[in-house]
């Protein structure tokens, strides 16, 4: 009887352990952008957390051809027509604005991407400085927003990078 109970307990622990190791439904987010500032920008973003790293893949249409900045902002509120309801860049470690991986930078300073002559653009970005849903205020992207800007980030101007108006927004929520 003890062997049977021990075997059942061991099997239960293994099943629960395997289920939690293989459970990715909470580690993937699919988001849709809203046009802002009278733009025609549309797009999607996917965040996937795997092996301690988060990958963002985003695709856009309706942009003006050229370079555009993309940032994570403080609040998951895209209600303002110009996107300003999202607040400033997400900066939980109180660093200066800059280029990711070079000196100081905000956790929300993703960078720039280029829209082609048809207004289509994409970006892929991977980091171990974010996570999805841990509750760690210095790493958890949940409860923030992604903003696409009209222009390029100069990586210098404080605190925004002088990237211009906000042309698309999506809240990062489950």
């Amino acid at each position: 009887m003890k062997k049977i109970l021990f075997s059942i307990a061991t099997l239960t622990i293994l099943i629960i352990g395997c289920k939690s190791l293989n459970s990715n439904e909470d580690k993937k987010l699919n988001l849709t952008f809203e046009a802002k500032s009278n733009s025609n920008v549309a797009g999607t973003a996917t965040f996937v957390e795997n092996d301690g790293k988060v990958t963002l893949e985003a695709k856009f249409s309706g942009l003006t051809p050229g370079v555009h900045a993309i940032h994570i902002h403080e609040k998951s509120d895209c209600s303002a027509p110009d996107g300003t309801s999202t607040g400033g860049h997400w900066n939980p470690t109180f660093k200066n604005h800059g280029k990711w991986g070079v000196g100081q930078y905000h956790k929300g300073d993703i960078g720039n991407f280029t829209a082609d002559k048809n207004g289509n653009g994409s970006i892929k970005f991977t980091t171990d400085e974010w996570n999805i849903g841990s509750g760690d205020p210095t790493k958890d992207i949940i409860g923030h927003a992604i903003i696409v800007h009209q222009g390029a980030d100069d990586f210098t101007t404080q605190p925004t990078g002088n990237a211009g108006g906000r042309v698309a927004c999506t809240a990062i929520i489950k």
Side-chain angles (χ1 to χ4, degrees):
M1 184 65 166
K2 284 183 183 181
K3 276 187 170 185
I4 293 172
L5 288 176
F6 178 76
S7 295
I8 291 171
T10 303
L11 183 60
T12 302
I13 289 169
L14 285 172
I15 290 170
I16 291 170
C18 288
K19 185 176 180 184
S20 63
L21 285 174
N22 293 324
S23 177
N24 282 329
E25 37 309 319
D26 293 336
K27 299 297 181 182
K28 182 174 184 178
L29 298 171
N30 293 309
L31 309 171
T32 302
F33 283 86
E34 303 172 35
K36 294 295 170 187
S37 303
N38 296 313
S39 78
N40 293 314
V41 178
T44 60
T46 302
F47 285 98
V48 177
E49 184 174 346
N50 193 1
D51 293 329
K53 293 182 179 180
V54 174
T55 298
L56 162 66
E57 286 192 71
K59 296 179 181 179
F60 304 97
S61 63
L63 291 161
T64 56
V67 180
H68 297 270
I70 184 170
H71 302 115
I72 295 179
H73 283 246
E74 299 171 306
K75 302 172 196 162
S76 62
D77 178 3
C78 292
S79 63
D82 62 358
T84 57
S85 51
T86 61
H89 294 179
W90 178 44
N91 186 16
T93 54
F94 308 102
K95 305 288 185 187
N96 286 329
H97 174 72
K99 187 172 185 176
W100 193 278
V102 179
Q104 290 192 23
Y105 54 92
H106 302 152
K107 292 280 181 108
D109 289 343
I110 299 170
N112 293 324
F113 68 96
T114 302
D116 65 19
K117 66 181 181 178
N118 298 315
N120 300 315
S122 65
I123 187 167
K124 184 174 182 179
F125 183 84
T126 302
T127 181
D128 63 357
E129 294 192 40
W130 299 341
N131 64 47
I132 300 172
S134 73
D136 178 345
T138 65
K139 292 185 89 169
D140 193 349
I141 60 171
I142 299 292
H144 303 290
I146 306 173
I147 291 287
V148 175
H149 292 272
Q150 179 60 40
D153 187 328
D154 67 13
F155 304 117
T156 304
T157 304
Q158 299 299 320
T160 64
N162 198 30
R166 301 169 185 206
V167 296
C169 181
T170 187
I172 307 171
I173 53 178
K174 287 185 182 182

